[in-house]
Amino acid sequence: MTLSAGQEALWLAHQLDPDSSAYNVVLAVRLRDPVRTDVLQDALTALVARHELLRSRFPATGEGPARETVPPGSVRLSVRETPDADDPELFRLARLAGEEPFRLAEEGAFRAVLLRRAADDAVLVTTTHHIVSDATSQWLLVRDLFAEYGARTGASGPVTTAAAGDWDAHVRAERDFVASERGRRAAAHWRSVCAGLDAAELPTDRARPPRRTLTGATHELVLDGETAARLRQVPAGRGLTPFAWLLGAFQAALHRSGAGDGFLIGCPATTRLTPGTREAVGYYVNALPVAARLTPATTLLETAESAGRQLRAGMGHVRLPVELMSGGPARGPLFRISCTLVAADRLPVEGLYAGTVRLGGLRAELCDVPQQEGQLDLTVEVLQDSRGFRAVLRYNTDLFDAATVERFGATWRRLVEASLDAPDTPVADVALVAGDDLDFLLALGSAPGIDVP
């Protein structure tokens, strides 16, 4: 069994740093009712029987990486008793469970760990390596797992037993597309987008190590309710989406933070384009290269409009894996920074971001542990739901201090606010210090005994 182009890139990244958890995708839920572990194991077996990538291993062969499947029953639930853990300790243990590295060749790329503090209090941590999963997949597998559990306890009705997707068929379709006339047009489109540009880079706090590292941390940025409401209104009046608007401001923030006048970032987008893929667990993602080309006269609105045009055009060519567009080691990676949107209110487990839901008859709450830190210099995930927008900034700690990423987040927020207030303002003219703060600093600088250079 063969791998997709994206899987091959992830397999290579794992070979270079097999102890890293940067590509672990985690969804942990706190369960507030008694869990029957025997039933949960049966549900887990049914889950991996339906989604074959969850029972796949990825050994090396003489011809490169390969995929092989194992019997569904070989994937076992790990139950760990934690009777003395308070809430912070339980959260820490959940995070550690999600960070455990995978041995892709020997153990596969999926695990489920139940941290049981009491009969009616546990955290289920489901972890996949990105090679078999994406953001949607992680929610699909939790939805299907608890559907199987509920069907066995009588809490919900019967579930489908049909296989979800055919990964080998997906890989064949990808290769056929690359070799087709449409694939050649897509390659020409992306060459045009990327012409003359390199990966965006923020000035780092430390020299880039000779070997790529995957260590990271997370900073969160929450837009207040008023800003979120305006983000739904102002872009719509210009025929743009909130994400295109945020992406334009993101590019402007990179420019104002020292990334230069022209650069590329990646925007991961789904390749779930056929009915057979929409309910399947798998790595159904390709990144869209998005170019920034700014001049002293470029306005905030123009960055948003350019981002919107590129996203719309890019979705017409999303089936081409960007891994095939890399310039090779001499040029460096195509992306060092990425930005993506997750519509939290459209995920397969509705309401889990907002509060308590019922999963398989059990009361469940999201245990939102940090994850996927250090994949690139900076990866940004914008979470959108009915309450507003939250940006999760994951960064490489070998390159950046926390204060640097926090400062970049503040710059981005300021440019978002400025774009909503006066979208025709040139990016170069936006004051990055709010008026009240500037008045305070000027007053401080004029105080007796204060020398201002």
Side-chain angles (χ1 to χ4, degrees):
M1 299 178 182
T2 54
L3 280 62
S4 69
Q7 284 183 312
E8 289 180 350
L10 289 166
W11 185 88
L12 179 59
H14 181 267
Q15 296 300 110
L16 295 174
D17 195 350
D19 293 325
S20 171
S21 61
Y23 292 98
N24 287 13
V25 186
V26 186
L27 184 55
V29 291
R30 185 87 172 262
L31 303 172
R32 301 287 192 169
D33 289 305
V35 179
R36 292 181 53 186
T37 55
D38 58 333
V39 176
L40 189 57
Q41 176 61 64
D42 289 344
L44 188 66
T45 301
L47 172 77
V48 300
R50 184 165 188 251
H51 300 282
E52 65 172 303
L53 283 180
L54 296 179
R55 52 186 173 90
S56 295
R57 296 174 181 170
F58 298 87
T61 71
E63 299 178 353
R67 182 175 72 88
E68 59 185 29
T69 57
V70 298
S74 63
V75 179
R76 308 302 299 174
L77 174 70
S78 174
V79 180
R80 303 175 188 178
E81 305 294 345
T82 60
D84 299 324
D86 58 12
D87 281 358
E89 176 65 5
L90 195 60
F91 182 87
R92 187 185 74 86
L93 292 172
R95 177 173 183 169
L96 290 176
E99 290 176 347
E100 293 173 12
F102 284 100
R103 299 291 176 252
L104 295 180
E106 299 83 17
E107 303 168 0
F110 170 57
R111 75 169 63 91
V113 176
L114 186 71
L115 302 169
R116 186 161 54 186
R117 184 165 74 171
D120 59 352
D121 188 4
V123 175
L124 179 67
V125 184
T126 57
T127 310
T128 55
H129 190 279
H130 216 344
I131 201 169
V132 301
S133 182
D134 53 26
T136 298
S137 293
Q138 209 66 18
W139 293 78
L140 281 171
L141 74 87
V142 166
R143 182 201 68 182
D144 289 0
L145 176 62
F146 282 101
E148 295 284 357
Y149 182 91
R152 286 162 172 76
T153 61
S156 58
V159 296
T160 180
T161 57
D166 181 338
W167 186 254
D168 285 343
H170 176 76
V171 173
R172 288 193 298 271
E174 176 185 273
R175 295 186 175 188
D176 290 345
F177 176 81
V178 170
S180 70
E181 179 57 33
R182 288 187 62 195
R184 287 187 284 274
R185 288 198 300 270
H189 171 81
W190 291 127
R191 283 194 295 272
S192 174
V193 169
C194 300
L197 299 180
D198 292 319
E201 290 189 58
L202 283 173
T204 62
D205 295 308
R206 285 167 290 281
R208 190 178 298 278
R211 178 182 170 185
R212 181 185 172 198
T213 59
L214 299 170
T215 55
T218 296
H219 170 66
E220 290 197 5
L221 179 69
V222 178
L223 298 180
D224 62 51
E226 180 182 353
T227 301
R230 296 180 69 203
L231 260 174
R232 299 181 191 281
Q233 298 167 358
V234 175
R238 304 277 186 166
L240 296 169
T241 65
F243 181 63
W245 199 273
L246 287 168
L247 183 58
F250 182 73
Q251 291 174 307
L254 290 170
H255 169 67
R256 291 294 302 270
S257 299
D261 299 333
F263 50 79
L264 293 170
I265 64 172
C267 286
T270 184
T271 58
R272 296 174 184 271
L273 305 176
T274 61
T277 61
R278 289 170 191 157
E279 295 293 309
V281 171
Y283 183 67
Y284 293 100
V285 175
N286 278 334
L288 308 181
V290 177
R293 292 180 170 89
L294 296 99
T295 72
T298 302
T299 67
L300 293 164
L301 176 60
E302 286 170 340
T303 65
E305 289 175 335
S306 174
R309 285 193 301 270
Q310 291 187 68
L311 291 173
R312 287 192 297 271
M315 285 306 299
H317 304 289
V318 70
R319 293 179 63 189
L320 186 81
V322 295
E323 289 79 9
L324 304 178
M325 300 292 297
S326 173
R331 178 179 171 181
L334 195 59
F335 309 124
R336 295 189 188 275
I337 296 173
S338 73
C339 185
T340 189
L341 173 71
V342 174
D345 50 359
R346 286 185 240 158
L347 290 169
V349 184
E350 186 177 350
L352 189 55
Y353 263 116
T356 302
V357 298
R358 286 276 175 181
L359 293 177
L362 304 175
R363 288 175 297 160
E365 304 162 2
L366 181 66
C367 185
D368 198 6
V369 297
Q371 57 179 297
Q372 302 180 69
E373 298 171 333
Q375 290 184 8
L376 301 175
D377 290 8
L378 175 66
T379 62
V380 178
E381 187 176 76
V382 178
L383 300 170
Q384 175 186 349
D385 62 19
S386 58
R387 296 170 297 174
F389 299 85
R390 175 166 63 97
V392 180
L393 289 77
R394 303 182 177 108
Y395 59 97
N396 189 307
T397 52
D398 286 334
L399 301 177
F400 300 109
D401 295 329
T404 299
V405 177
E406 290 171 13
R407 186 164 54 250
F408 172 77
T411 297
W412 185 17
R413 183 203 298 273
R414 175 69 187 131
L415 286 162
V416 169
E417 293 168 349
S419 70
L420 296 171
D421 291 336
D424 291 322
T425 303
V427 172
D429 291 350
V430 178
L432 298 184
V433 179
D436 292 345
D437 293 336
L438 182 58
D439 291 342
F440 172 76
L441 291 172
L442 290 173
L444 183 66
S446 62
I450 301 293
D451 292 325
V452 180

